[in-house]
Amino acid sequence: MKKILCFASVLIALMACANIDGTGKNDTSLKKDSITDSISLREGKHDITAIVKIVVPVGNEALNKGVCDFIMNAIRYNDSTKITVIAPDVKSLAQSMLDSISSMLKGATFYEGEESSGPPLWHNVEASILDETAKTITIGIMQDIYLGGPHGSALVEGATFNKADGKRLDASIFAQDKLTDIKKEVTEGLKEFFGPLGNEEDSPLKDENGKDKIVELPEKGIYINKDSVVFIYQQYEIAPYAYGIPSTALSLKDMKKKGLLEPEFAKNVE
């Protein structure tokens, strides 16, 4: 329970600067639709619950589809298949999410002991608007999952989309000949995250010989929040569970000054 509470505090800290109500930070904000829905059921000897709380932009079909696909694929338990959802409204999206999550939770039941009940299993998801500008919108997703074992897991990720065409911004916004320099900047930021633990021989920032190493960019990609590029790593991606969810952010203005951004994208950074 202490570990679960610990991760809850990490999630709160990571989302503290988010614009949860989805109103945007200027008068060009898109219309939004939101819903909170849940399901509870019994499978074998397990009580199963799932809660979804989502906010999505509406009024732009391409953008809505991009956001809905991002949210649906974030809830997969593995990367074997891509989920494509046709969600004409937020209620349909929530139902699709609950159907998928409950099916996956049913597949995770394991208890065959003599007691009448095994441990409860759950998967809670919150998708919200982290940031919005005249040209882009950033969606953040937090997930709290327990499938049995000594502790649950937490997933935190985000994605930034162009409002005009619904395309997701990715590493192509970086100057491709400067990726090593960006990795070095991210590694320096992670040193602040890990603090004294980053200096230990078995630190995620050390190689097998105990020497400093450059950390790769996160697998889940990057997103933009409050004029910075956020780099967030999932549990176990670069560090053991006990290290939490490593993250750091680089100022877009600083990246532009250092020539780390793709030239056309840099033109939009003031």
Side-chain angles (χ1 to χ4, degrees):
M1 180 60 73
K2 289 183 179 179
K3 290 183 177 180
I4 294 174
L5 292 175
C6 175
F7 279 110
S9 65
V10 171
L11 298 182
I12 292 171
L14 288 171
M15 304 292 280
C17 61
N19 177 26
I20 297 298
D21 63 5
T23 58
K25 61 182 182 183
N26 53 50
D27 58 7
T28 62
S29 61
L30 295 168
K31 292 182 179 179
K32 318 293 190 308
D33 202 356
S34 62
I35 191 172
T36 299
D37 203 353
S38 63
I39 188 171
S40 298
L41 53 93
R42 180 85 171 179
E43 181 73 11
K45 294 186 175 183
H46 295 272
D47 290 322
I48 291 174
T49 59
I51 301 173
V52 298
K53 181 179 181 181
I54 52 178
V55 179
V56 297
V58 296
N60 180 320
E61 183 176 351
L63 177 60
N64 179 263
K65 183 180 184 304
V67 170
C68 290
D69 283 351
F70 165 62
I71 294 173
M72 282 297 296
N73 281 282
I75 66 174
R76 293 176 298 167
Y77 287 179
N78 58 65
D79 295 325
S80 60
T81 58
K82 176 177 174 59
I83 302 172
T84 300
V85 59
I86 304 300
D89 53 56
V90 71
K91 184 177 180 180
S92 299
L93 175 61
Q95 188 59 57
S96 294
M97 293 174 68
L98 289 174
D99 288 346
S100 295
I101 290 173
S102 60
S103 177
M104 290 185 285
L105 285 172
K106 288 178 182 178
T109 57
F110 62 89
Y111 184 73
E112 297 180 353
E114 296 181 358
E115 300 294 329
S116 60
S117 294
L121 308 179
W122 67 78
H123 186 158
N124 303 325
V125 185
E126 180 174 357
S128 59
I129 310 298
L130 291 184
D131 192 33
E132 183 174 0
T133 69
K135 295 183 178 181
T136 64
I137 188 167
T138 297
I139 309 298
I141 299 178
M142 298 188 301
Q143 301 186 68
D144 174 28
I145 306 169
Y146 182 70
L147 302 177
H151 57 71
S153 61
L155 298 173
V156 182
E157 60 183 299
T160 300
F161 297 86
N162 280 319
K163 287 182 175 180
D165 57 14
K167 290 184 178 180
R168 180 176 175 179
L169 300 185
D170 55 22
S172 63
I173 70 171
F174 302 144
Q176 297 304 295
D177 61 341
K178 299 287 187 179
L179 289 179
T180 298
D181 293 333
I182 295 172
K183 292 175 185 178
K184 289 179 179 178
E185 295 271 351
V186 170
T187 301
E188 288 299 313
L190 290 173
K191 288 181 180 179
E192 295 185 18
F193 176 89
F194 288 119
L197 294 175
N199 296 320
E200 297 182 359
E201 289 187 3
D202 60 350
S203 163
L205 305 180
K206 304 287 186 181
D207 62 20
E208 61 273 12
N209 298 315
K211 304 293 185 180
D212 290 344
K213 70 176 183 180
I214 299 175
V215 178
E216 294 296 318
L217 299 183
E219 293 180 2
K220 292 287 187 179
I222 52 91
Y223 63 92
I224 296 172
N225 190 17
K226 309 302 179 188
D227 302 318
S228 293
V229 181
V230 178
F231 302 81
I232 190 164
Y233 297 84
Q234 304 307 312
Q235 293 170 354
Y236 301 110
E237 185 173 349
I238 61 171
Y241 176 89
Y243 283 87
I245 302 176
S247 65
T248 189
L250 301 181
S251 163
L252 281 168
K253 290 182 179 179
D254 288 345
M255 294 185 75
K256 180 178 180 179
K257 290 178 181 178
K258 296 175 181 178
L260 302 180
L261 298 177
E262 189 276 326
E264 285 301 314
F265 178 80
K267 293 178 181 178
N268 297 314
V269 177
E270 299 177 353

